[in-house]
């Protein structure tokens, strides 16, 4: 039996403004106020696990302990079949530079590795998202979502973020980078995980 959320305010264990906007909008119908770990001045804990669930738990428990409120975290990434699931939990790391994250560089790196291996088309991949809702008493609930598709090259579209311009979801003709953001949010890996979170902890 999953624990239901009874509190009217939660902390989003993220410093990402885009993520705060997206998750605040998703939680608005439930009358839940969302404040980010960044707005509260919390540092980001080191993500030392090698799974999405492990890193989501680190972030959620850190924010719950620091704030005394329930905390929601999200760990997500891209898994490419021909690269044995890489970049996976290290998706953001592949984009790191001394001047911040450079996702066009990371997308070109993935494409280069696929070309080196002469990986046949379609180059299957999936976006994965794990949400963790943690309480200050140490309890947590974890929900995982995915969306499957393939990688295309060159990049297409200016919407979204991360690897969206090279990800073509199954059955679609537009990449996440070309797609209307509302349509993408309705079918994304985060939407899949969020539906499970709502069914488990809000309904």
């Amino acid at each position: 039996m999953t624990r239901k959320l009874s509190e009217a305010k939660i902390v989003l264990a993220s410093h990402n403004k885009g993520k705060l906007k997206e998750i605040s909008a998703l939680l608005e119908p439930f009358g839940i106020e969302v404040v980010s770990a960044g707005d509260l001045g919390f540092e980001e804990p080191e993500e030392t696990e090698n799974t999405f669930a492990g890193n989501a738990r680190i972030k959620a428990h850190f924010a719950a302990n620091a704030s005394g409120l329930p905390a929601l975290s999200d760990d997500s990434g891209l898994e490419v079949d021909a690269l044995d699931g890489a970049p996976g939990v290290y998706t953001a790391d592949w984009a790191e530079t001394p001047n911040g994250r450079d996702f066009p560089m990371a997308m070109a790196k993935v494409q280069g590795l696929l070309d080196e291996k002469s990986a046949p088309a379609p180059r299957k991949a999936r976006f994965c998202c794990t949400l963790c809702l943690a309480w200050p008493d140490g309890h947590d609930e974890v929900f995982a979502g995915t969306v499957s598709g393939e990688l295309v090259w060159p990049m297409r579209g200016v919407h979204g973020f991360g690897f969206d311009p090279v990800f073509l979801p199954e059955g679609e003709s537009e990449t996440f980078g070309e797609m209307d953001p509302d349509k993408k949010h309705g079918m994304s890996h985060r939407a899949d995980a969020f539906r499970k979170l709502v069914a488990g902890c809000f309904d």
Side-chain angles (χ1 to χ4, degrees):
M1 187 71 180
T2 52
R3 182 186 287 188
K4 302 294 182 185
L5 183 77
S6 57
E7 295 83 356
K9 183 176 183 178
I10 66 167
V11 177
L12 176 65
S14 173
H15 289 60
N16 183 316
K17 293 261 192 289
K19 215 172 264 189
L20 175 65
K21 189 176 173 186
E22 199 173 311
I23 287 176
S24 294
L26 289 167
L27 288 177
E28 195 177 2
F30 301 97
I32 293 164
E33 182 190 347
V34 185
V35 59
S36 80
D39 291 338
L40 293 173
F42 299 158
E43 288 178 19
E44 293 188 84
E46 199 176 340
E47 295 175 35
T48 52
E49 294 288 327
N50 60 4
T51 64
F52 295 118
N55 285 325
R57 278 193 159 107
I58 287 173
K59 291 185 280 194
H61 284 286
F62 180 86
N65 288 335
S67 66
L69 291 166
L72 179 67
S73 70
D74 159 318
D75 202 57
S76 45
L78 177 75
E79 293 181 340
V80 183
D81 285 2
L83 301 181
D84 302 316
V89 292
Y90 306 108
T91 298
D93 296 341
W94 281 35
E96 289 294 353
T97 75
N99 303 312
R101 289 178 181 171
D102 181 346
F103 277 101
M105 173 200 75
M107 287 183 265
K109 179 179 177 179
V110 167
Q111 179 65 19
L113 289 170
L114 288 168
D115 287 345
E116 266 175 43
K117 294 183 80 163
S118 301
R123 291 169 166 181
K124 296 285 190 183
R126 74 199 61 79
F127 273 127
C128 304
C129 168
T130 299
L131 296 174
C132 176
L133 181 62
W135 281 261
D137 67 0
H139 183 85
D140 67 36
E141 299 287 352
V142 175
F143 304 90
T146 58
V147 59
S148 297
E150 64 184 271
L151 298 185
V152 298
W153 194 260
M155 295 174 241
R156 289 161 36 186
V158 295
H159 299 303
F161 53 88
F163 282 81
D164 284 355
V166 295
F167 185 80
L168 182 68
E170 266 178 17
E172 297 293 332
S173 58
E174 295 178 311
T175 67
F176 271 171
E178 295 171 298
M179 199 176 278
D180 176 84
D182 285 341
K183 183 177 178 183
K184 177 208 152 181
H185 293 328
M187 64 185 297
S188 73
H189 49 312
R190 191 167 291 121
D192 184 30
F194 201 82
R195 276 189 287 272
K196 294 170 185 172
L197 167 74
V198 167
C201 297
F202 295 101
D203 281 354

